[in-house]
């Protein structure tokens, strides 16, 4: 109302009316509260990716499909029962003349019900081999799902540590910029007192400009790392998040026994277990192909009931019933040597998969050893950089005191600042590298997320 009164004197002009309309529209607009950021830690991110990752969801669908394939294979060894009901209406019956009389053949209404049962008694081992193949195929899909899960979890954990590193490097860059500005202020103060040259001022200004550029790059790297983390866990890129957590420093694995880790990896790695199941699948395929040369025996039973009448009266008519059982024996005599060719192909495929098993086992040993030594190397780097940070902090303190007292030079001060920035940066990178090495060790052993 106060605003309307202020514009009342301008109501006769178009400008006043327009401004009054704009003010009313703005004052009536609902105020939208800023959305609260989503609090995320590593465990929350791992839970989100389990629900949102398309590759993982597809692997689970494939696993369910493999379970149904196993049911299909089992059905071949179970009884097959069929029932049918047939009704036919004869509108014009055939007839013939016998002894001068016309005789019709058949009835106008025919109703026939049949129930048949077939049960395989012997198929040369083909049914059992086929079922074993489906069971191993289902096991292979399970290992594929395990491998996909571990790959996805590893990607989430890596993106999480990249985000933590980006946040820490941004903090370091802001501190470096603050030191540079403090150094510039100190140089300018000494220049006013006639104790600093113009070159010192220029050098301090260049340092501030460089640190500002590094700070801008650190902000952008943090933005990109945040986007990458939100993308991998399946969040909208516009979703505001707040990440909490630290670099991991421990693992459930025994880091004191490398041989035990290798042995565990040879039994737990999804890729190795997958190829072992694949070897069994090819062995059973050979058995299924060989079964094609053996006889098969089936039990067949059928029952039939039939109603025939010119009048469609089911209650007053007699149903004619018949039952029979029998055995069906089939013996292949010659298939053009097709079975022999299939068996030979299956054996070659088996040999090829066995070579894959040898190669993957060797790769698993190598990867576990590499990840193990990466953990050791990162741990030693953390200790070294921890000492370096303490020494660089002390060096910067001494350099600033020397420069403030007029004993030291500006170059000493700048070198000390850069040394501390480098030490803190390398310390953060080493802690991130150890966290990644521990994660990758669990992944190479095959127990990540388990």
């Amino acid at each position: 109302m106060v605003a309307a009164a202020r514009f009342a004197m301008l109501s006769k002009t178009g400008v006043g009316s327009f401004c009054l309309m704009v003010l009313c529209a703005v004052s009536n607009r609902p105020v939208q509260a800023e959305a609260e950021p989503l609090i995320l830690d590593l465990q929350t991110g791992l839970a989100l990716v389990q629900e949102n990752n398309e590759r993982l969801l597809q692997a689970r669908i494939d696993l369910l499909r493999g379970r149904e394939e196993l049911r299909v294979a089992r059905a071949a060894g179970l009884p097959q029962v069929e029932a049918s009901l047939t009704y036919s209406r004869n509108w014009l019956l055939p007839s013939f003349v016998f002894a001068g009389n016309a005789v019709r053949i058949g009835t106008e209404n025919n109703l026939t019900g049949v129930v048949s049962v077939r049960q395989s008694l012997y198929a040369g081992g083909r049914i059992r081999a086929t079922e074993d193949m489906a069971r191993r195929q289902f096991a292979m899909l399970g290992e594929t799902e395990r491998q996909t899960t571990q790959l996805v979890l590893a990607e989430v954990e890596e993106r999480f540590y990249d985000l933590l590193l980006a946040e820490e490097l941004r903090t370091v860059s802001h501190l470096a910029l603050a030191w540079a500005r403090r150094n510039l202020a100190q140089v300018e103060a000494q220049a006013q007192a006639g104790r600093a040259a113009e070159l010192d001022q220029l050098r301090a200004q260049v340092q501030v400009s460089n640190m500002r550029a590094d700070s801008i790059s650190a902000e952008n790297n943090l933005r990109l790392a945040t986007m990458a983390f939100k993308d991998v866990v399946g969040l909208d890129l516009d979703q505001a998040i707040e990440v909490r957590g630290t670099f991991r420093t421990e693992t459930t694995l025994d880091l004191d026994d490398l041989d035990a880790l290798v042995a565990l990896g040879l039994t737990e790695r999804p890729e190795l277990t997958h190829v072992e199941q694949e070897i069994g699948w090819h062995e059973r395929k050979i058995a299924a192909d060989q079964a094609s040369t053996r006889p098969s025996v089936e039990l067949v039973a059928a029952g039939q009931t039939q109603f025939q009448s010119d009048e469609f009266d089911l209650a007053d008519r007699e149903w004619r019933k018949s039952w029979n059982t029998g055995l069906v024996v089939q013996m292949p005599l010659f298939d053009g040597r097709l079975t022999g060719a299939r068996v030979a192909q299956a054996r070659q495929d088996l040999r090829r998969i066995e070579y894959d098993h040898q190669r993957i086992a060797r790769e698993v040993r190598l990867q576990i050893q590499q990840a193990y030594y990466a953990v050791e190397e990162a741990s030693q780097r953390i200790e070294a950089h921890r000492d370096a940070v303490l020494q660089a902090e002390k060096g910067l303190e001494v350099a600033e005191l020397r420069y403030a007292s007029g004993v030291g030079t500006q170059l000493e001060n700048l070198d000390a600042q850069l040394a501390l920035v480098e030490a803190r940066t390398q310390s953060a990178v080493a802690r991130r590298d150890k966290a990644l090495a521990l994660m990758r060790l669990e992944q190479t052993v095959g127990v990540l997320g388990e």
Side-chain angles (χ1 to χ4, degrees):
M1 297 297 294
V2 175
R6 289 180 178 179
F7 280 98
M9 298 183 65
L10 299 175
S11 59
K12 295 181 179 180
T13 66
V15 175
S17 301
F18 175 76
C19 294
L20 181 61
M21 292 174 60
V22 171
L23 180 61
C24 293
V26 172
S27 62
N28 293 329
R29 181 181 300 171
V31 178
Q32 296 181 353
E34 185 176 354
E36 291 292 330
L38 179 63
I39 307 299
L40 288 180
D41 56 12
L42 179 57
Q43 297 304 319
T44 306
L46 295 176
L48 284 173
V49 78
Q50 296 270 4
E51 301 175 359
N52 300 330
N53 187 267
E54 293 83 0
R55 288 181 296 165
L56 189 54
L57 297 176
Q58 288 174 341
R60 290 172 180 170
I61 292 175
D62 292 340
L63 186 61
L64 295 176
R65 189 176 183 276
R67 181 180 300 170
E68 300 307 316
E69 291 290 342
L70 179 57
R71 292 179 56 191
V72 171
R74 288 173 177 170
L78 299 177
Q80 306 297 312
V81 182
E82 295 181 354
S84 63
L85 183 64
T86 305
Y87 170 75
S88 62
R89 168 70 180 186
N90 296 317
W91 299 101
L92 182 61
L93 295 172
S95 62
F96 66 95
V97 178
F98 179 75
N101 297 318
V103 179
R104 292 191 309 170
I105 301 175
T107 58
E108 294 182 354
N109 297 293
N110 293 279
L111 186 62
T112 304
V114 179
V115 176
S116 62
V117 180
R118 298 179 70 92
Q119 172 63 56
S120 177
L121 301 180
Y122 177 74
R126 177 181 54 81
I127 294 178
R128 178 173 295 180
T130 303
E131 183 177 345
D132 288 344
M133 290 171 60
R135 186 178 294 108
R136 291 186 179 275
Q137 181 68 31
F138 178 64
M140 285 189 285
L141 291 172
E143 295 304 321
T144 300
E145 192 265 345
R146 278 188 63 217
Q147 181 182 3
T148 304
T149 299
Q150 293 189 12
L151 289 173
V152 170
L153 296 182
E155 187 176 2
V156 172
E157 196 162 348
E158 182 176 356
R159 294 290 180 269
F160 180 76
Y161 295 146
D162 287 344
L163 179 53
L164 293 183
L165 178 63
E167 288 184 337
E168 191 156 345
L169 294 183
R170 180 188 64 172
T171 301
V172 172
S173 68
H174 287 176
L175 287 174
L177 179 58
W179 294 333
R181 285 172 173 168
R182 185 176 62 185
N183 179 67
L184 177 60
Q186 192 175 22
V187 171
E188 290 176 344
Q190 291 191 0
Q192 291 179 358
R195 292 188 299 170
E198 183 180 0
L199 180 60
D200 292 336
Q201 287 184 286
L202 292 175
R203 189 180 290 122
Q205 292 171 355
V206 169
Q207 185 195 21
V208 170
S209 298
N210 289 335
M211 293 302 101
R212 283 188 65 247
D214 291 345
S215 179
I216 293 171
S217 296
E219 289 286 352
N220 186 60
N221 291 336
L222 176 59
R223 186 181 302 111
L224 296 178
T226 303
M227 293 172 61
F229 180 71
K230 289 191 287 187
D231 178 68
V232 75
V233 299
L235 291 177
D236 190 274
L237 296 182
D238 295 330
Q239 171 70 51
I241 65 172
E242 180 180 341
V243 176
R244 297 176 182 176
T246 58
F247 299 114
R248 74 145 81 185
T249 58
E250 298 178 350
T251 177
T252 57
L253 299 174
D254 184 8
L255 298 180
D256 296 329
D257 192 346
L258 177 58
D259 293 335
L261 291 177
V262 173
L264 181 62
L266 293 177
T267 59
E268 294 294 330
R269 272 292 286 270
E271 302 96 312
L272 203 54
T273 308
H274 182 283
V275 77
E276 289 170 355
Q277 293 291 340
E278 193 172 0
I279 289 174
W281 185 90
H282 282 279
E283 291 174 345
R284 301 310 295 160
K285 185 178 187 302
I286 293 174
D289 290 337
Q290 291 174 336
S292 300
T293 62
R294 303 188 185 106
S296 63
V297 181
E298 285 187 334
L299 172 65
V300 179
Q304 177 176 302
T305 180
Q306 188 176 32
F307 166 81
Q308 292 181 325
S309 175
D310 290 334
E311 300 295 332
F312 197 82
D313 187 359
L314 302 180
D316 297 337
R317 302 295 177 179
E318 180 180 359
W319 291 79
R320 298 177 179 85
K321 301 180 179 62
S322 64
W323 298 93
N324 62 81
T325 58
L327 293 175
V328 178
V329 180
Q330 292 182 331
M331 179 65 188
L333 298 179
F334 181 71
D335 62 355
R337 305 178 69 177
L338 177 62
T339 300
R342 287 178 175 173
V343 171
Q345 288 178 341
R347 284 175 176 163
Q348 297 302 322
D349 292 339
L350 176 59
R351 290 184 60 188
R352 189 175 184 278
I353 297 302
E354 289 173 344
Y355 287 131
D356 279 344
H357 184 270
Q358 296 177 11
R359 174 182 56 80
I360 294 175
R362 185 173 63 253
E363 290 176 354
V364 166
R365 292 188 183 95
L366 176 61
Q367 291 170 3
I368 291 175
Q369 292 181 6
Q370 290 175 335
Y372 178 82
Y373 291 122
V375 173
E376 282 191 349
E377 183 259 349
S379 300
Q380 295 173 2
R381 283 169 51 207
I382 288 176
E383 294 296 329
H385 289 306
R386 182 181 295 116
D387 295 338
V389 170
L390 295 176
Q391 295 166 359
E393 288 175 346
K394 184 176 180 180
L396 178 59
E397 182 180 355
V398 172
E400 287 181 340
L401 289 176
R402 283 172 53 84
Y403 186 70
S405 62
V407 178
T409 65
Q410 187 194 30
L411 288 177
E412 291 179 353
N413 198 15
L414 295 179
D415 289 342
Q417 291 179 1
L418 293 177
L420 181 54
V421 170
E422 180 66 17
R424 289 190 173 182
T425 299
Q426 293 302 321
S427 176
V429 172
R431 286 184 283 113
R432 190 280 306 267
D433 289 348
K434 182 178 179 180
L436 286 180
L438 290 171
M439 178 271 291
R440 286 169 180 154
L441 180 60
E442 292 182 359
Q443 185 183 10
T444 56
V445 173
V447 296
L448 180 62
E450 299 178 1

